[in-house]
Amino acid sequence: MTDTASQLTATVPDHAAGRRFDAVLAELFPAYSRSRLAAWIKSGDALLDGQQVRPRDPVRGGEAVVLRVVEEVQTHSAPEAIPLEVLFEDEHVIVINKPAGLVVHPGAGNPAGTLVNALLHRDPNLNTLARAGIVHRLDKDTSGVMVVARTLVAHTALIEQLSSRQVHRQYLAVVVGAMVAGGTADFPIDRHPRDRIRMAVREDGREAVTHYRLRERFRAHTLLECRLETGRTHQIRVHMAHVKYPIIGDPMYGGPLKLPRGATPELVEALRGFKRQALHAETLEFAHPVSGEPVRCSAPMPADMQALVAVLREDSRLADEAAR
């Protein structure tokens, strides 16, 4: 295992006199977790006026602090030359448009060929960050915008924005049923009590809120714009199924295929042939973790969803003509 290290310096402010060293260190270097800072104090990588002290030792104010930031390898996956569509990139973050079918993290059944492998090929330094800098995920068969941190500072800041609900995440979903109005799905979600692969709405679950509105209404389906207030696993998929408008093609929550009465052969073929959930992360907006400037990235619907919407639109047009 190889480590990389850099050195940071600061001065203890006078008003901090009498406080614990570990608490003051956390305020001086907020990019790092308290547990990591405590470990560096104990290892001698955080010095107070050139001396190793205990986490609980008080400071006087005015001392020089030297922090040796030791970055150990966190991600051991192998780099792979998998193409990535990059929407925005600088030294702190990478924003990509993930294609449907690409698994985010290696795991059982997917030891390679994942987004993590692709990211490590693009930037080998990501191996010093947990999960190669990935701070949120998309399901394998969900396409769209994702942000990845390239530094520990950016990683910490983005996780804080996500946990405090400051990141705007907007999705497109094609659902079964012709909705008449948008709304909000405010139902707690947790693991299914019997099937541990699935999630479910549960009274004892974690808070989950999805806002949705109509983007386009078809004869027997709806194109929705969904905005996440929280980010639970499978949240939009579970919420839409719970309100009886499951996402087309969802193999886990969509239920049996439903063909509308009088469907054209083209629509029947399109619905039967759509083998993934029709869900796409369209827009992601966040404050840049260093500059604070807003970053907004969008990705158009992928070709398979565009083709599906086109067939649904034509089916509605033909039904309207027949009704006249």
Side-chain angles (χ1 to χ4, degrees):
M1 178 183 294
T2 57
D3 300 342
T4 59
S6 57
Q7 188 167 289
L8 303 175
T9 60
T11 301
V12 176
D14 292 337
H15 63 76
R19 297 180 60 201
R20 292 171 55 116
F21 179 47
D22 56 358
V24 174
L25 197 67
E27 292 185 2
L28 292 174
F29 302 102
Y32 306 106
S33 67
R34 285 180 176 266
S35 60
R36 180 170 289 197
L37 290 170
W40 286 337
I41 294 173
K42 294 174 183 176
S43 65
D45 291 304
L47 301 177
L48 184 67
D49 264 351
Q51 301 297 315
Q52 182 174 358
V53 299
R54 295 171 299 181
R56 68 173 182 269
D57 285 347
V59 300
R60 302 185 311 274
E63 300 101 317
V65 176
V66 175
L67 179 66
R68 181 174 176 267
V69 177
V70 182
E71 296 177 340
E72 298 178 347
V73 172
Q74 302 288 324
T75 304
H76 296 274
S77 299
E80 294 182 48
I82 300 170
L84 291 175
E85 181 184 348
V86 176
L87 304 175
F88 174 86
E89 182 177 25
D90 64 11
E91 65 268 36
H92 303 289
V93 297
I94 305 173
V95 182
I96 66 157
N97 179 19
K98 187 189 87 67
L102 181 63
V103 175
V104 172
H105 300 291
N110 297 288
T114 70
L115 177 59
V116 166
N117 300 105
L119 289 168
L120 291 173
H121 181 268
R122 186 176 186 88
D123 183 357
N125 292 326
L126 289 174
N127 68 358
T128 63
L129 298 176
R131 301 187 176 186
I134 292 171
V135 295
H136 67 119
R137 63 184 292 273
L138 295 177
D139 297 331
K140 172 187 174 182
D141 289 326
T142 298
S143 57
V145 188
M146 286 184 62
V147 61
V148 178
R150 302 183 78 169
T151 64
L152 187 54
V153 171
H155 191 268
T156 303
L158 289 171
I159 288 177
E160 171 60 29
Q161 287 187 50
L162 284 162
S163 63
S164 58
R165 305 183 184 182
Q166 297 176 30
V167 177
H168 175 77
R169 288 175 286 175
Q170 181 174 300
Y171 290 68
L172 293 176
V174 188
V175 301
V176 178
M179 277 193 182
V180 295
T184 295
D186 185 353
F187 307 105
I189 290 175
D190 214 322
R191 290 287 171 189
H192 193 283
R194 293 178 299 278
D195 185 348
R196 304 305 292 173
I197 296 177
R198 294 164 56 95
M199 307 297 287
V201 169
R202 296 177 48 168
E203 289 186 2
D204 60 347
R206 302 172 67 192
E207 181 189 15
V209 181
T210 304
H211 305 283
Y212 56 93
R213 71 182 187 90
L214 277 60
R215 179 74 70 91
E216 189 170 356
R217 187 169 179 264
F218 309 110
R219 182 169 66 94
H221 299 84
T222 309
L223 174 61
L224 291 180
E225 179 183 296
C226 301
R227 182 173 63 81
L228 290 181
E229 188 171 316
T230 56
R232 309 300 174 212
T233 300
H234 299 173
Q235 179 173 314
I236 296 174
R237 298 166 63 187
V238 172
H239 274 167
M240 290 302 101
H242 186 73
V243 298
K244 309 303 182 186
Y245 290 92
I247 297 175
I248 288 178
D250 192 331
M252 192 170 290
Y253 306 104
L257 175 66
K258 293 182 180 179
L259 298 173
R261 181 178 301 175
T264 63
E266 292 79 12
L267 179 56
V268 172
E269 181 181 357
L271 292 175
R272 284 182 172 160
F274 207 90
K275 299 300 186 182
R276 71 173 182 96
Q277 60 266 12
L279 183 63
H280 172 69
E282 180 185 39
T283 299
L284 187 71
E285 186 171 3
F286 58 93
H288 190 279
V290 175
S291 70
E293 292 296 315
V295 178
R296 180 182 176 90
C297 295
S298 296
M301 276 194 299
D304 61 345
M305 279 184 67
Q306 291 189 37
L308 176 64
V309 167
V311 173
L312 291 170
R313 191 177 289 137
E314 178 65 9
D315 174 76
S316 294
R317 187 187 69 80
L318 292 174
D320 288 343
E321 284 187 355
R324 293 193 188 106

